[in-house]
Amino acid sequence: MLQASIHGAILALGLILPLGVQNVFIFNQGATQKTFFRALPAVITASLCDTLLILLAVLGVSVIVLTFAWLKVTIYIIGVLFLGYMGWVIWRTDPSVQSRTDEGMSIKKQVAFAASVSLLNPHAIMDTIGVIGTNSLSYTGEEKVMFSIMTILVSWIWFLLLAVAGRNIGKLDATGQWMRRINVLSAIIIWGVAFYMIRQLLHM
């Protein structure tokens, strides 16, 4: 079981560490919310979505996405549209105004955005199915359970640490100038992912 646990932890880290849309959003919420606890809705939602995707991959249910071409295309189109909108919202956000008005993204918006960047992100879905789902086939019984638990645990810990890191940087940036730069970079990354998805969509 130890081998399965280590395997799951390393695999999850390898998938979650790259700077993706999900990570950018969680970090951004940690930095822009007035307190760490106000960023928790985004953290918990993203973690629950990852948990769902991992469980579906391990159980083999998510393979359905790969078997229906129209479903894959639909997910990509919705993902592109949403990422375009999300990039625009983050680009227009002025952290200096936000710090003066004490307004951050509401709980409802955090949950909606976090769920969308998690469940409408084709790359996240494909990584989960193709990597975690495939690797889980090496184990059965208790080993498979431990493999799944470790991948899920790493996901929860990572998002919490990401929000904490964002919070610490946000506290050091009283004027909001650094957060403005981070927002611009975040929007560019999100639009870059959307553009890459459009290219993949055209080749389907």
Side-chain angles (χ1 to χ4, degrees):
M1 283 198 293
L2 180 60
Q3 180 183 344
S5 300
I6 295 172
H7 184 191
I10 293 173
L11 192 64
L13 272 175
L15 290 176
I16 206 169
L17 280 177
L19 189 61
V21 177
Q22 201 179 32
N23 286 345
V24 166
F25 179 71
I26 298 300
F27 178 86
N28 191 278
Q29 286 308 297
T32 56
Q33 293 293 335
K34 275 297 177 182
T35 66
F36 171 74
F37 290 102
R38 289 181 64 173
L40 283 180
V43 172
I44 293 171
T45 302
S47 301
L48 286 174
C49 289
D50 266 22
T51 299
L52 175 63
L53 289 176
I54 290 168
L55 290 176
L56 289 177
V58 171
L59 294 172
V61 178
S62 55
V63 177
I64 295 172
V65 176
L66 295 177
T67 58
F68 295 101
W70 65 268
L71 183 57
K72 187 176 177 181
V73 170
T74 301
I75 290 173
Y76 265 74
I77 291 173
I78 294 172
V80 167
L81 292 174
F82 180 78
L83 291 180
Y85 168 71
M86 184 181 167
W88 176 246
V89 169
I90 291 176
W91 179 277
R92 292 185 62 192
T93 300
D94 187 346
S96 61
V97 173
Q98 198 172 62
S99 64
R100 289 195 300 269
T101 59
D102 193 27
E103 291 179 0
M105 187 175 283
S106 67
I107 292 175
K108 189 175 180 180
K109 279 189 175 182
Q110 282 190 62
V111 170
F113 271 63
S116 300
V117 297
S118 303
L119 300 178
L120 295 181
N121 185 348
H123 293 291
I125 295 172
M126 299 309 161
D127 281 348
T128 306
I129 296 170
V131 182
I132 293 179
T134 303
N135 277 266
S136 70
L137 296 175
S138 305
Y139 306 104
T140 57
E142 291 183 0
E143 286 189 335
K144 193 164 192 172
V145 171
M146 287 306 301
F147 174 86
S148 305
I149 288 174
M150 286 307 297
T151 54
I152 291 169
L153 188 61
V154 165
S155 175
W156 280 79
I157 293 172
W158 172 253
F159 288 135
L160 279 169
L161 292 177
L162 205 57
V164 169
R167 175 67 188 145
N168 288 331
I169 289 179
K171 284 167 66 177
L172 295 173
D173 184 27
T175 63
Q177 290 182 355
W178 275 101
M179 274 312 305
R180 175 57 191 158
R181 294 187 184 113
I182 291 173
N183 279 355
V184 169
L185 178 61
S186 299
I188 291 171
I189 290 171
I190 289 170
W191 284 333
V193 173
F195 178 72
Y196 179 71
M197 284 167 56
I198 291 172
R199 289 187 61 187
Q200 288 189 312
L201 194 58
L202 294 174
H203 286 88
M204 285 184 184

